[in-house]
Amino acid sequence: MEKTLVLIKPDGVQRGLMGEIIGRFERRGLKLVGMKFMQMSRELAETHYGIHRERPFFGSLVEYIISAPIVAMAWEGNNAIAAARATIGATKPVDAAPGSIRGDFGMEIGRNLVHGSDSVENGVNEVNLFFRPEELVGWARATEAWIVE
Ligand code: DAT
Ligand code: MG
């Protein structure tokens, strides 16, 4: 089953939007299989954003993500990557559709509230970067048949 790593970034936590953001994925029908409240180390941040290492914004991106606590979540479902990316919205909040998290709560690219994996392969790698196998919970959701045909 496809898994995506979603992070509520420091601005989402500080602004009191944790419940709001978690609720959107929950209501969408994605299934939570892992969650932790944590503050990322510099090492974890540099690994997580390693693909952006050569970009001019890399330094400020790392400083931002380690500046305060985050929520790390693993969500599961058919097409979990695409579903979560749509719920999150475009990278630049001014381009994000109303109704998406970034479109409803964001103003700037450097304060865009949420991270979501961008491919099936990255979903696997990112979930494994943040969660040990025993931290992922397999469970039977009572409403499954009303969400998945
Ligand atoms: P996304 O988070 O939508 O997957 P991304 O992977 O391209 O976007 O970039 C990771 C984060 O880096 C993004 O959420 C915000 C920051 N970022 C991306 N492009 C940027 C830019 N041109 N200027 C400043 N920050 C940027
Ligand atoms: Mg990305």
Side-chain angles (χ1 to χ4, degrees):
M1 181 63 71
E2 205 169 300
K3 286 187 182 59
T4 182
L5 178 81
V6 173
L7 304 177
I8 304 176
K9 296 180 182 183
D11 48 337
V13 174
Q14 294 290 338
R15 292 174 58 193
L17 293 171
M18 285 187 286
E20 171 70 42
I21 290 169
I22 293 165
R24 288 177 176 224
F25 295 100
E26 191 179 34
R27 293 196 298 270
R28 182 86 198 252
L30 287 157
K31 183 173 156 187
L32 187 72
V33 293
M35 178 155 68
K36 57 172 88 167
F37 183 63
M38 60 184 286
Q39 190 152 355
M40 283 170 70
S41 67
R42 184 174 298 276
E43 185 188 6
L44 178 59
E46 289 180 350
T47 303
H48 173 67
Y49 281 129
I51 193 164
H52 299 300
R53 192 174 290 276
E54 305 307 325
R55 310 282 288 276
F57 56 83
F58 179 72
S60 59
L61 181 60
V62 168
E63 295 303 330
Y64 157 54
I65 204 79
I66 69 174
S67 64
I70 61 142
V71 180
M73 296 172 282
W75 292 93
E76 192 178 83
N78 295 328
N79 301 306
I81 302 284
R85 295 280 293 184
T87 290
I88 290 166
T91 305
K92 271 177 88 170
V94 289
D95 296 337
S100 67
I101 294 166
R102 288 168 173 168
D104 285 352
F105 301 113
M107 289 293 285
E108 295 197 3
I109 197 166
R111 297 287 183 271
N112 67 3
L113 297 140
V114 188
H115 167 84
S117 307
D118 65 4
S119 69
V120 174
E121 186 190 1
N122 285 340
V124 172
N125 292 338
E126 291 179 358
V127 166
N128 290 338
L129 182 63
F130 279 79
F131 293 93
R132 295 193 299 272
E134 64 271 24
E135 292 174 326
L136 296 174
V137 180
W139 58 292
R141 184 168 53 180
T143 53
E144 198 67 24
W146 302 105
I147 298 168
V148 179
E149 191 177 1

